[in-house]
């Protein structure tokens, strides 16, 4: 592959663009909310997977973070982060890698929701949060589940009990600040009740952690909560805009693409960003406005009304007007550069190995690398 | 990240497994068909993106191939392939990279379907195939379109006209050998008619290229065709099994995963393969049997009846019985290893940077690297 070019005109397409000013605004917005709510913010790096972005989240310092893979924990620890939550239920086979990180000076905490996992974790002397189910979305125990105390007791025997955590994944399915505030209160009630149940049994519960991007932006009161987590907020995306957590103009991530053909009778414009560049994520399909595989902008990032990537093959996107659109198809000759806003930033970013930063300072385009794997 | 382990028991999950014996059988099956049909096979490397696999397709030699990105052309040319078709409509901005490859000794051909592209290609002295539309799937011209001759004449002026090509993408939407044979005949008729139209105008058309995995396996006669292309056939997947191009047991690719939790009242088993490991591809959703995010097998690769990955978050898969299933949920304790067959091999493989080869010779697991990017 050719070296990274320094001007946007020279970028090979498709390419992932990151608007640094928008990202900075998004980061500051949630940091201010966390301060106002009196909780510590522990950003989730599953979306960004980039050490430069991780450092910006801590105001230039490597702060406390959440990760979704041990590969992330290893890379971010090497970059100076020493307070990390691995927020996917621990498999016993992964404890050797967790221990290696801890022995290397990383205060890595895991999560779990079963006595079997608690026993394995205790044997490995690894601290853990108990996962609490606040909305039926995925894993976790309810505050009233007797297994919660059983797990707490197993962990406490070796001082491995750090606290409780939950994630309101179902909040992505509702729209508007009021609905998200209700989910935030549900998160808070679920973990605070679990923490109280543990404490009533004489068990310590210093960490009480909640978070999802919608609830983190809408929570009105986080009494009893210590930690707030969120991931996609630094970039935002069409799914978040569709449920009104952000506006389309807050989306910091886009895919630069080039027009490569037309089927004029069908109103199709072919581009070189297919699902390999956008991901197969169709997160807006279930929302009020289906954005196809992404919303089309001109090269400056201005949304072209009602123009979406209606379908996608591996390396081809087919741009067309949204069904029922009033607008006319603009003239987009072969070679025209466009930018596509993604449905789901986590999924789209994962298709790329680098961010090209906008705006280009002095015409020179900065590149930040991102990593993948497990 | 840790170095590659040599035993399957030690693999960090999720991990991509490739059954070499099944792949070899799949490769030989289509090679035999191409020989019987009297056409040259030009495998598409967009699925595999791996130099070891590319070499096996040529019986140990770097043979003629098809690619979907210039990054693939560069990597495979460096690995010895010097006859490459880049089968995505050319953007003028990409011609400098194409020329650099050609000057380096790679006979790289591009595709196009407009006079604008033809003029750019002629200026760069790059040989091209004209894309023909055989089924309304994507780009291309029909044989009777006057633009076909116009494009042919522009290209012929500088001896850049190599021939015609088509891809029956719509064949993925129909099931069974007879339906695919009908699409194969449609592909053949469309390109042969286009080749004849060019020849009637005094234009040369040495290459007449067709292909998609379903049509390549079903074609009964390829008179007039010179080249056959196909990509996913080396691995196969649930989408191909769903339309009866292969059987489930022919699928050479799977994702190794570990059980990390349960929600027993809901019949959910949580695994550490979410959409990051499987991709967001839901290609079987529109088929008769919806396989969710993948079909669940035990660690030996035996299908567990009616067990699918019913939903997926980034690093979590939720395994459950297929709706209406007769079977009982098997006991799968935390730490159990499973294998998941993918909906779409191209999309799932793209989420990984290496293949772990099965069977492990002498217990030692071979690793083949794959690449991405553009």
């Amino acid at each position: 592959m050719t070296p990274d070019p320094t001007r946007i005109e020279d970028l090979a397409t498709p390419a992932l663009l990151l608007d640094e000013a928008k990202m900075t605004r998004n980061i500051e917005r949630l940091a201010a909310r966390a301060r106002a709510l009196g909780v510590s913010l522990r950003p989730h790096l599953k979306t960004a997977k980039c050490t430069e972005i991780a450092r910006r989240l801590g105001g230039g310092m490597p702060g406390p973070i959440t990760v979704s893979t041990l590969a992330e924990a290893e890379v971010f620890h090497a970059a100076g982060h020493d307070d990390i939550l691995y927020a996917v239920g621990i498999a016993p086979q992964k404890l050797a890698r967790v221990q290696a990180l801890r022995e290397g000076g990383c205060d890595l905490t895991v999560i779990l929701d079963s006595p079997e996992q608690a026993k394995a974790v205790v044997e490995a002397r690894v601290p853990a949060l108990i996962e609490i189910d606040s909305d039926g979305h995925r894993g976790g125990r309810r505050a009233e589940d007797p297994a919660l105390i059983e797990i707490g007791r197993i962990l406490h025997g070796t001082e491995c009990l750090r606290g409780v955590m939950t994630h309101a994944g179902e909040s992505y399915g509702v729209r508007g600040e009021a609905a998200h505030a209700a989910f935030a209160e549900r998160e808070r009630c679920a973990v605070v009740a679990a923490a109280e149940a543990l404490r009533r049994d004489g068990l310590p519960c210093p960490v009480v952690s909640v978070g999802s991007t919608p609830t983190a932006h809408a929570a009105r009161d986080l009494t009893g909560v210590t930690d707030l987590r969120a991931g996609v907020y630094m970039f935002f995306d069409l799914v978040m805009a569709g449920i009104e957590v952000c506006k389309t103009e807050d989306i910091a991530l886009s895919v630069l693409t080039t027009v490569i053909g037309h089927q004029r009778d069908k109103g199709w414009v072919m581009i070189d960003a297919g699902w390999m560049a956008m991901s197969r994520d169709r997160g807006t399909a279930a929302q009020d406005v289906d954005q196809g595989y992404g919303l089309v902008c001109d090269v400056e990032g201005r949304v072209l009304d009602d123009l979406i990537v209606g379908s996608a093959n591996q390396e081809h996107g087919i741009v067309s007007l949204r069904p029922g659109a009033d607008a006319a198809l603009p003239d987009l000759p072969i070679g025209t550069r466009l930018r596509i806003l993604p449905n789901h930033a986590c999924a789209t970013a994962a298709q790329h190995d680098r961010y090209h930063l906008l705006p280009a300072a002095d015409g020179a385009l900065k590149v930040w690398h991102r990593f993948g794997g497990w």
Side-chain angles (χ1 to χ4, degrees), chain A:
Chain A
M1 271 155 273
T2 44
D4 288 317
T6 54
R7 301 181 320 148
I8 191 163
E9 297 78 10
D10 301 329
L11 272 186
T13 55
L16 189 64
L17 304 180
L18 175 57
D19 187 316
E20 196 177 358
K22 288 185 180 184
M23 179 184 74
T24 302
R25 218 163 58 216
N26 296 338
I27 289 173
E28 284 170 359
R29 179 179 163 203
L30 192 61
R33 279 196 58 76
R35 279 193 301 273
L37 289 161
V39 290
S40 144
L41 184 60
R42 182 182 287 277
H44 204 316
L45 267 299
K46 76 188 182 88
T47 312
K49 301 209 186 203
C50 168
T51 55
E52 286 87 352
I53 296 174
R55 195 167 271 267
R56 268 156 184 82
L57 292 165
M61 298 287 290
I65 57 171
T66 311
V67 299
S68 69
T69 66
L70 290 180
E72 288 167 56
E74 287 160 355
V75 170
F76 291 121
H77 180 237
H81 298 264
D82 56 12
D83 177 3
I84 304 183
L85 175 66
Y86 169 45
V88 175
I90 190 72
Q93 292 95 327
K94 289 180 179 150
L95 284 166
R97 272 171 86 187
V98 172
Q99 285 176 305
L101 274 158
R102 291 191 56 80
E103 282 158 17
C106 179
D107 186 9
L108 181 63
T109 304
V110 302
I111 72 166
L112 50 79
D113 67 355
S114 70
E116 302 92 293
Q117 287 166 302
K119 284 173 198 155
V121 153
V122 156
E123 202 167 311
R125 293 279 197 281
V126 168
L129 302 183
I130 305 174
E131 187 175 3
I132 305 302
D133 178 12
S134 56
D135 63 0
H137 178 66
R138 201 157 63 192
R141 299 283 175 168
R142 301 256 168 192
E144 62 277 15
D145 186 334
L148 174 67
I149 305 298
E150 183 188 351
I151 296 165
R153 288 180 185 167
I154 296 168
L155 292 175
H156 181 53
T158 50
E159 294 177 2
C160 289
L161 179 58
R162 276 274 169 94
V164 290
M165 63 83 73
T166 194
H167 164 65
E170 293 296 306
S171 67
Y172 286 63
V174 297
R175 194 176 75 181
E177 198 266 346
H180 298 142
F183 263 100
E185 182 58 9
R186 223 165 133 172
E187 275 190 324
R188 191 187 74 82
C189 292
V191 277
V192 169
E196 284 167 0
L198 291 167
R199 290 174 190 141
R200 270 197 305 276
D201 197 63
L203 298 168
C205 189
V207 176
V208 181
S209 171
V210 298
S212 75
T213 288
T215 57
H217 287 83
R220 290 167 190 176
D221 168 47
L222 289 180
T223 304
V225 168
T226 63
D227 260 50
L228 184 63
R229 309 182 322 278
V232 77
Y233 76 97
M234 48 201 87
F235 297 158
F236 283 133
D237 54 27
L238 293 170
V239 166
M240 287 296 118
I243 58 169
E244 299 173 10
V245 180
C246 69
K247 296 193 168 18
T248 304
E249 52 268 33
D250 297 325
I251 301 173
L253 209 67
S254 61
V255 172
L256 183 71
T257 182
T258 304
V259 173
I260 58 169
H262 302 87
Q263 288 285 23
R264 293 191 196 275
D265 347 338
K266 294 177 178 164
W268 288 358
V269 179
M270 324 301 252
I271 57 173
D272 66 357
W275 58 253
M276 188 64 90
M278 297 308 302
S279 91
R280 268 290 193 198
D281 197 286
R282 290 280 291 103
T284 57
Q287 294 190 332
D288 291 347
V289 180
D290 183 346
Q291 306 280 18
Y293 283 90
L295 188 59
V296 181
C297 303
D298 68 15
V299 72
E300 305 296 335
R302 284 178 295 255
V303 172
L304 298 173
D305 283 338
D306 286 326
L307 209 59
I308 62 171
V309 183
S311 70
N313 299 141
Q314 185 160 339
E315 298 291 350
H316 297 79
I318 302 183
V319 168
S320 56
L321 289 170
R322 196 192 298 285
D326 219 7
L329 190 71
D331 181 38
L332 300 169
I334 283 175
T336 303
R337 296 248 156 152
L338 298 169
R339 282 164 61 184
I340 316 295
L341 299 179
N343 278 322
H344 187 177
C346 309
T348 299
Q351 303 295 110
H352 298 261
D353 67 358
R354 69 198 76 176
Y355 300 98
H356 300 277
L357 266 76
L358 298 176
D362 310 322
L365 214 56
K366 217 168 21 177
V367 168
W368 286 347
H369 286 273
R370 52 168 285 140
F371 60 94
W374 292 271

